Amino acid sequence: MTAYHQMSRQELEKEKSLLDAAYAAFQAKNLKLNMARGKPSVEQSDLSNGMFNCLSSTDYFSEDGVDCRNYGTLDGIPEMKRIFADLLHLSPDEIIVGGNSSLAMMFDNVSSNMSHGVRDGIPWSKQGEVKFLCPSPGYDRHFGICEYFHIQMIPVAMTETGPDMDEVERLVSSDPMIKGIWCVPKYSNPDGIVYSDETVLRMANLKPAASDFRIYWDDAYAIHYLYDKPATILNILRECEKAGNPNMPLIFSSFSKISFAGAGVACIAASRSNIEFIKQRMAMQTIGHDKLNQLRHARFFKDAQGVLDHMAKHAAILRPKFEAVEEALERELAPLQLAHWQNPKGGYFISVYVPEGCAKRVVQLCKEAGVVLTGAGATYPYGNDPHDSNIRVAPSYPSVEELRTAAELFCLCVKLAAAEKILSE
Ligand code: PMP
């Protein structure tokens, strides 16, 4: 029950006229702010400017003596593989270094399984209507991949410890057309949830009806912490090995929000046997990825510890931004019980649940006052939030000052939408 519900109609109408006036004052400010996507700020990109100067016309050899200007080395230079391996607690021969985008590697993997099957099995697309489990709210671009390939998306609820595993186990074990699940195990997009040990263990011990079922383990925010140090979770590949499912997980990660978004380095990690299959396909696609960029990263960061130290600098920039939004939510919305949210310890988003039926209206009101948010519903398969409640706020790009203003407007719009809704009932 919200405080607004406890007001008389007259009291609420009075409150709404005050909110209308405050909203008009915001519109007069002609704001132009964007909290729609998790883009690193200019200041964050500046942290990696040293990468422009860390190679030279005489320094372009990888540690095994390969000339990085030329063709060769399909799966990545050793120093870059080692950095990924150390960060993900895996072995270098379980890693393939790719191009700049992990999303492209996920898309490609799904595409390959659709057209050619998993490890030379029957192509998914020839087996019937392919389905994926989509823990929701989740990452809109994962859902975009499914839509593109006409993969039916089955939403599964997210809990504070990860996807609802009762539901995941029940569905995966009963339907052989369920071929995959999207997971963002650390600081999930958008809720910032970290999977518990129990969740990882149950995921690793799944008994899928489909022998070609795959876990898409998107570790996009593996080390993207805001406080102290990254959360630790169980190692999905090792747990899958112990459970007799060594080939089930496909792990993805990238430097997009470590060095430069758009000019980072991505990887896929998997069992050695999976790696061999993936390399065979990759050999048909490319003679090799950009080794100079890999070398730049290796020179700049030196090793995994260098990357972690660098992440502390990102955290120092991001933390006050998250806190500016959280403070506004706590001050403006918590007393009225108009929203709930997690205070994430890492990642790029604050995922706010506004009263049912209000999310679209809040996003519209914010837009009409100059603040662009992620479209309401985008965090659910087919853009359909059944409760029209979740809004993903991305606080990374604007300045702290801008965020304070934007967050104040956001809270005002939540109040306005809630008041409108109650008055219309
Ligand atoms: N996965 C998740 C969960 C993301 O939030 C993002 C956006 N940064 C990506 C993947 C995209 O990663 P990349 O830039 O490596 O394609």
Side-chain angles (χ1 to χ4, degrees), residues 156-191:
V156 171
M158 277 296 280
T159 74
E160 283 180 20
T161 53
D164 175 347
M165 288 310 295
D166 289 343
E167 195 62 359
V168 171
E169 286 166 352
R170 187 182 69 74
L171 289 162
V172 163
S173 62
S174 61
D175 186 347
M177 285 316 294
I178 295 177
K179 301 298 188 188
I181 181 169
W182 293 112
C183 295
V184 183
K186 246 199 239 178
Y187 310 127
S188 69
N189 180 348
D191 287 305

Side-chain angles (χ1 to χ4, degrees), residues 100-103 106 139 142 184 189 218 220-221 254 256-257:
N100 70 317
S101 162
S102 61
L103 187 70
M106 292 177 235
Y139 179 37
H142 287 160
V184 183
N189 180 348
D218 180 0
Y221 300 107
S254 83
S256 289
K257 291 170 182 177

Side-chain angles (χ1 to χ4, degrees), residues 200-408:
V200 180
L201 282 172
R202 289 176 73 176
M203 201 66 82
N205 282 277
L206 285 174
K207 301 200 172 16
S211 59
D212 51 1
F213 171 84
R214 289 292 175 264
I215 299 174
Y216 288 79
W217 197 255
D218 180 0
D219 219 352
Y221 300 107
I223 51 171
H224 300 55
Y225 61 99
L226 294 169
Y227 297 92
D228 300 336
K229 59 182 173 51
T232 50
I233 61 169
L234 287 179
N235 183 320
I236 187 70
L237 186 53
R238 297 293 167 260
E239 294 307 327
C240 282
E241 283 165 0
K242 285 185 217 159
N245 289 323
N247 298 323
M248 195 162 67
L250 300 166
I251 302 161
F252 301 86
S253 200
S254 83
F255 272 67
S256 289
K257 291 170 182 177
I258 299 175
S259 56
F260 298 131
V265 180
C267 82
I268 181 169
S271 69
R272 291 176 185 84
S273 153
N274 273 345
I275 290 289
E276 281 318 306
F277 276 98
I278 296 166
K279 274 205 282 201
Q280 281 169 28
R281 171 180 166 93
M282 210 182 237
M284 297 301 117
Q285 294 178 305
T286 178
I287 309 173
H289 291 290
D290 182 348
K291 292 188 295 301
L292 284 175
N293 198 28
Q294 294 176 28
L295 192 61
R296 251 192 303 273
H297 278 72
R299 289 277 189 276
F300 181 68
F301 291 107
K302 298 192 173 54
D303 52 23
Q305 190 54 50
V307 182
L308 291 172
D309 294 345
H310 188 82
M311 292 316 284
K313 297 181 194 160
H314 280 291
I317 297 172
L318 286 169
R319 208 164 38 236
K321 298 190 177 190
F322 276 74
E323 289 174 353
V325 175
E326 288 161 1
E327 273 162 28
L329 296 172
E330 195 61 51
R331 186 182 63 242
E332 300 293 329
L333 300 182
L336 297 170
Q337 294 168 319
L338 280 178
H340 64 92
W341 64 94
Q342 307 264 340
N343 290 322
K345 301 282 180 292
Y348 261 68
F349 305 102
I350 300 170
S351 167
V352 187
Y353 296 82
V354 301
E356 251 192 82
C358 289
K360 282 201 175 77
R361 180 66 180 142
V362 171
V363 171
Q364 182 197 9
L365 284 166
C366 282
K367 190 171 169 211
E368 287 168 8
V371 172
V372 179
L373 298 166
T374 312
T379 49
Y380 288 78
Y382 309 106
N384 178 27
D385 172 358
H387 303 291
D388 186 26
S389 164
N390 182 251
I391 300 176
R392 186 182 80 167
V393 176
S396 54
Y397 197 82
S399 69
V400 174
E401 219 30 63
E402 289 171 331
L403 279 167
R404 287 211 179 95
T405 310
E408 208 184 309

